[in-house]
Amino acid sequence: MKTIVFAGGGTAGHVMPNIALYEQLKTKYSCVYVGGDGMEQNICRQRGIPFYRINTVKFRRDALLKNIGVPFKLHACVNNAKAALNEIKPDIVFSKGGYAALPVVLAAKCPVLSHESDYSPGLATKLAKRRSAKVLCAFEPCAQKIKNGLYVGTPLMQNLYNGKRSPADYGLSGNKPILTVIGGSSGAASLNGIITDSLPELLKRFDVIHMTGKNKQGGQKRAGYFPIEFESDMAKLYATSDVIITRAGANALAECIALKIPTITVPLEKASRGDQVQNAEYYGNLGAVNVMHEKDMTARSILDALSELTNNKQKYVSAMSKIKVDGTKRIVEIIESLI
């Protein structure tokens, strides 16, 4: 049986696309995950996916002096990844990008496929593209910037399309429209704060599910308001949501668009290379999402944006329908053709 190694980690955006592909390929191939000690390790163990932990090193945009030793640490991480790959003997490596995947890509002696979720290639993708047979891209403009780039969309969990609406599971009556706020897998403290401060006005018109992120604070649980750190059943969460406020991580936006849920996106601007702003503006310019910036967010502006979104739902759904976001089937075909 041929063996596929999946690599990538640190955030859900680097892990869940790999899991989506694993679910499609696990019955035909031996599938192994190689990553660091981030959330990928726990997710794989929970799902019974064979996991090899390697050492990783992260480039710090917020503390440039701490990056002086990165090349030396990366060399050690690559050697660590080589040892893992020598034991696994993969026929192909699929890299979802990010710092946790880079040592695996650089260590691989078999064909490599890389995937870039964002509008523009990140540092890991730039370093990995020469080692990759193809760089598969979620955005067409990104593919056009890379010599071996190919526009395919994003790998999405297919069970997302079969979620069952269940307000009661979140302590909600279902008598009001349900607003779901998603801060991202690691949360968004500033966004959480704005939403919490706006609750008195929001709860007049909506029930609110607030996914704060691990170890992040939301408001106190009360009638019509359900804070939760993380939701493992995203299919149920999306099915229960009438409207969403989310960061502009490429995977979160792709999911909202694929499921045609009216969405306000608030891109992360600080401590970022600007990828979320680019993601949000691209889809915003296509009329698929409503883009807000943190500096403009108040209880009043949020309510106004929600009113605009719900009053023009069909316009947004129509725009979403024209965008190719789910690339799962195409990516599986490419993996199988290369293997």
Side-chain angles (χ1 to χ4, degrees):
M1 182 179 284
K2 300 287 189 177
T3 299
I4 303 171
V5 159
F6 293 99
T11 67
H14 285 126
V15 181
M16 295 314 295
N18 274 339
I19 303 300
L21 294 171
Y22 164 83
E23 291 293 335
Q24 299 298 307
L25 293 161
K26 64 182 181 181
T27 59
K28 295 177 64 176
Y29 304 97
S30 172
C31 296
V32 180
Y33 205 115
V34 179
D37 58 1
M39 66 169 56
E40 63 270 22
Q41 186 170 215
N42 290 332
I43 290 173
C44 287
R45 285 176 176 171
Q46 289 167 4
R47 293 172 178 265
I49 302 172
F51 186 86
Y52 283 71
R53 192 188 76 78
I54 61 168
N55 297 326
T56 61
V57 59
K58 185 176 183 180
F59 181 83
R60 296 281 301 276
R61 297 179 186 278
D62 58 341
L64 294 179
L65 291 178
K66 293 185 178 181
N67 295 321
I68 293 174
V70 166
F72 304 100
K73 293 177 182 177
L74 179 60
H75 179 72
C77 293
V78 171
N79 287 335
N80 190 216
K82 283 180 180 178
L85 294 181
N86 285 339
E87 183 175 344
I88 299 167
K89 296 180 174 56
D91 294 282
I92 188 172
V93 166
F94 184 88
S95 165
K96 192 54 204 70
Y99 67 91
L102 186 58
V104 184
V105 172
L106 297 180
K109 296 180 180 179
C110 61
V112 175
L113 284 172
S114 294
H115 186 275
E116 175 59 67
S117 289
D118 290 312
Y119 179 85
S120 61
L123 179 60
T125 297
K126 291 177 181 177
L127 294 174
K129 63 184 180 182
R130 291 185 180 179
R131 297 290 187 97
S132 303
K134 290 287 182 184
V135 178
L136 309 179
C137 301
F139 290 83
E140 190 169 11
C142 181
Q144 293 170 349
K145 298 174 186 175
I146 302 172
K147 186 176 180 179
N148 56 339
L150 180 66
Y151 169 51
V152 295
T154 296
L156 297 179
M157 295 293 293
Q158 296 302 291
N159 70 335
L160 293 177
Y161 297 104
N162 302 313
K164 303 297 183 184
R165 185 177 178 89
S166 186
D169 285 356
Y170 300 99
L172 304 175
S173 67
N175 294 329
K176 292 180 181 178
I178 295 175
L179 164 64
T180 296
V181 181
I182 303 174
S185 59
S186 56
S190 56
L191 178 58
N192 288 345
I194 293 168
I195 294 300
T196 302
D197 292 344
S198 302
L199 280 177
E201 292 300 317
L202 290 173
L203 291 175
K204 292 177 182 178
R205 293 170 51 186
F206 297 91
D207 283 341
V208 179
I209 302 171
H210 186 179
M211 197 171 87
T212 62
K214 189 175 181 180
N215 299 322
K216 297 295 192 299
Q217 293 297 314
Q220 292 295 316
K221 187 176 179 181
R222 67 185 86 168
Y225 176 70
F226 191 88
I228 181 174
E229 283 194 356
F230 183 73
E231 175 58 88
S232 58
D233 190 348
M234 289 301 292
K236 179 179 71 175
L237 180 65
Y238 282 130
T240 306
S241 305
D242 295 299
V243 63
I244 285 177
I245 296 177
T246 181
R247 285 299 195 186
N251 213 52
L253 288 180
E255 290 171 348
C256 292
I257 291 170
L259 298 172
K260 300 177 180 60
I261 305 171
T263 299
I264 294 170
T265 179
V266 187
L268 178 67
E269 297 184 46
K270 297 179 181 179
S272 165
R273 62 181 175 86
D275 49 299
Q276 289 206 7
V277 174
Q278 292 175 328
N279 297 342
E281 290 180 347
Y282 177 80
Y283 288 132
N285 290 336
L286 293 176
V289 298
N290 182 312
V291 182
M292 291 190 70
H293 297 281
E294 279 187 23
K295 63 182 178 62
D296 300 323
M297 290 188 73
T298 63
R300 183 72 262 161
S301 67
I302 295 171
L303 284 168
D304 288 345
L306 288 168
S307 294
E308 192 277 333
L309 202 66
T310 54
N311 290 338
N312 296 285
K313 177 180 178 179
Q314 194 52 49
K315 180 187 75 171
Y316 285 100
V317 169
S318 177
M320 289 175 169
S321 300
K322 297 174 183 176
I323 303 172
K324 174 187 176 182
V325 287
D326 189 345
T328 311
K329 181 180 178 181
R330 178 71 178 120
I331 295 169
V332 166
E333 290 172 350
I334 292 169
I335 290 173
E336 293 193 311
S337 69
L338 188 60
I339 204 170

